[in-house]
Amino acid sequence: MEEAKKKSMPVLPWMRSPVDVSLFEDCPLDHLPCLDPRLKVALQNMGISSLFPVQVAVWQETIGPGLFERDLCINSPTGSGKTLSYALPIVQTLSNRAVRCLRALVVLPTRDLALQVKDVFAAIAPAVGLSVGLAVGQSSIADEISELIKRPKLEAGICYDPEDLLQELQSAVDILVATPGRLMDHINATRGFTLEHLCYLVVDETDRLLREAYQAWLPTVLQLTRSDNENRFSDASTFLPSAFGSLKTIRRCGVERGFKDKPNPRLVKMVLSATLTQDPNKLAQLDLHHPLFLTTGETRYKLPERLESYKLICESKLKPLYLVALLQSLGEEKCIVFTSSVESTHRLCTLLNHFGELRIKIKEYSGLQRQSVRSKTLKAFREGKIQVLVSSDAMTRGMDVEGVNNVVNYDKPAYIKTYIHRAGRTARAGQLGRCFTLLHKDEVKRFKKLLQKADNDSCPVHSIPSSLIESLRPVYKSALDKLKETVESEAHRKRTIGFKLSRMGKGRVTGRAKQ
Ligand SMILES: Nc1ncnc2c1ncn2[C@@H]1O[C@H](COP(=O)(O)OP(=O)(O)OP(=O)(O)O)[C@@H](O)[C@H]1O
């Protein structure tokens, strides 16, 4: 046991003496020190009467007594309320700002997640006169720019100097929630978009964002917000795009509005995940200042308190039947079914929809679909118009949908991190939730070991009567036949579209573009 603990000891010294969030308790809003009364009302309007432990712990390090002196690395289970843990102190601190400019940037890996986080900010920020923007490519870039940048009113008949006009461009938002791709678009090309006043950078779902470089968004943001004058441009050329039009966005010492003649305040970073990396090389990319590690309990990975894990043991070829039987038993309860790839998501969802027995609405949600389709599906799922979402992993991190009582791992997760993020779509905010994993009997031992990494020793078998499985066999056969037909007609449609495109010369254009 001692040996196991030693093995999981973080390499970085500052990670070895963390603040233990599990020692904190919920704190009623009335008892929260220094909370702005306007924000208290906004929180109450959201149905929040007390803060969760991670929110209290972060409040202490940001508002008082910690006063944002250190960068924060927060590792806290799924559904524990990490979003509000950073949104609330940032909004409260910025509520004193005199002039509007972009002071807080929150980066998230997907558009749906960014929208979700923007909604949390939007529920509290206006109460103290702050404005929140979104840069995710949901609308056209022109629409997005007009939301983010305030242009001066021009009078007819007057000839303006373009340089003067550039000076007049101002941020229309105090807080921006962005995905890396669209953020880079604005950094590179949007006139008047500047990070020079940025005080807070939040990297949510850090381990996921650090895995993907997205046009070097992180080094670019760090370079543009570095407050020391020295060597400002020295290594910028290694990652800044050649057509980089925003060198003027690099923060200038002592000329920031509201900070005249004072050095710029240090950029405070907050990085969060339910499975925060402890890899020194990865964390080094964040260039953290005197970081403070906040984590829950002693084990590295933790599942939500009220999550119940179950396994269903069955032969691989009978998995669809077990899934159908399970979904039938769950009735109208909201459920997310995870598969291992976008292709199997599509196939499984099509198959389930051919089961006449299932009188529930089932849709797929995966990276194969267009964003607009995904967003529509997610909306319908939130509204309860869809009961089951069949999903691949990539899109579901951080997703917060009320009333998801069940998660099913149709394909076994290969890593504990995957299990944590999938299972974490239920049992959120202290609610009860169940996670079912379909396993072949040969996989049981490995799965047990996997769960032990999250300190979970209890995963009872959820049994399905074999008579029920037998009764489903005839319907399964006809569903399989229909699936075959659907797959063939989809393949035919793809071939026809491909043929038409190549006749229009589009194939050649793509080929050139790839070179
Ligand atoms: N203080 C609170 N009181 C009641 N509900 C809360 C409180 N804080 C957050 N919640 C709710 O808890 C749910 C989970 O919050 P959130 O999405 O921030 O979790 P998370 O820790 O970021 O999870 P994940 O790691 O999956 O992204 C949300 O529905 C949110 O509205």
Side-chain angles (χ1 to χ4, degrees), residues 452-490:
Q452 279 168 348
K453 291 187 182 163
D455 224 8
N456 186 321
D457 265 327
S458 154
C459 183
V461 172
H462 180 86
S463 45
I464 306 248
S466 53
S467 57
L468 181 56
I469 300 297
E470 286 310 312
S471 72
L472 287 169
R473 275 184 193 265
V475 207
Y476 179 40
K477 182 159 180 328
S478 99
L480 274 180
D481 290 342
K482 286 182 198 153
L483 173 69
K484 206 169 151 221
E485 278 169 32
T486 314
V487 169
E488 276 166 11
S489 85
E490 283 176 354

Side-chain angles (χ1 to χ4, degrees), residues 327-393:
L327 293 178
Q328 271 179 338
S329 70
L330 299 177
E332 300 257 306
E333 288 184 16
K334 268 189 205 163
C335 176
I336 305 180
V337 178
F338 285 100
T339 70
S340 55
S341 70
V342 287
E343 289 80 17
S344 36
T345 293
H346 181 61
R347 239 178 298 123
L348 182 63
C349 186
T350 313
L351 179 70
L352 290 176
N353 276 309
H354 287 316
F355 265 91
E357 304 291 295
L358 280 173
R359 309 218 178 281
I360 42 180
K361 197 111 171 89
I362 304 170
K363 285 261 179 180
E364 76 181 271
Y365 180 88
S366 88
L368 261 193
Q369 299 169 302
R370 282 204 312 275
Q371 176 66 44
S372 57
V373 175
R374 272 205 311 265
S375 299
K376 213 171 132 197
T377 304
L378 187 54
K379 186 168 176 276
F381 189 52
R382 283 190 197 286
E383 291 167 354
K385 292 177 186 155
I386 293 170
Q387 284 81 47
V388 177
L389 216 58
V390 184
S391 179
S392 57
D393 283 317

Side-chain angles (χ1 to χ4, degrees), residues 48 50 52 55 77-83 205 398 400 425 428-429:
I48 290 177
S50 56
F52 287 162
Q55 296 160 352
T78 50
S80 58
K82 290 186 288 296
T83 314
E205 300 294 350
D400 184 61
R425 297 318 100 213
R428 299 176 70 74

Side-chain angles (χ1 to χ4, degrees), residues 189-236:
T190 300
R191 286 161 70 86
F193 183 85
T194 171
L195 300 182
E196 71 178 308
H197 310 291
L198 205 67
C199 303
Y200 304 100
L201 171 66
V202 179
V203 184
D204 203 343
E205 300 294 350
T206 308
D207 43 339
R208 163 95 194 267
L209 276 172
L210 289 183
R211 250 201 339 259
E212 299 173 53
Y214 295 115
Q215 308 167 41
W217 72 272
L218 182 58
T220 305
V221 168
L222 296 182
Q223 188 69 23
L224 294 174
T225 50
R226 200 167 277 175
S227 51
D228 53 329
N229 271 347
E230 284 166 27
N231 297 330
R232 204 191 297 157
F233 303 109
S234 60
D235 44 33

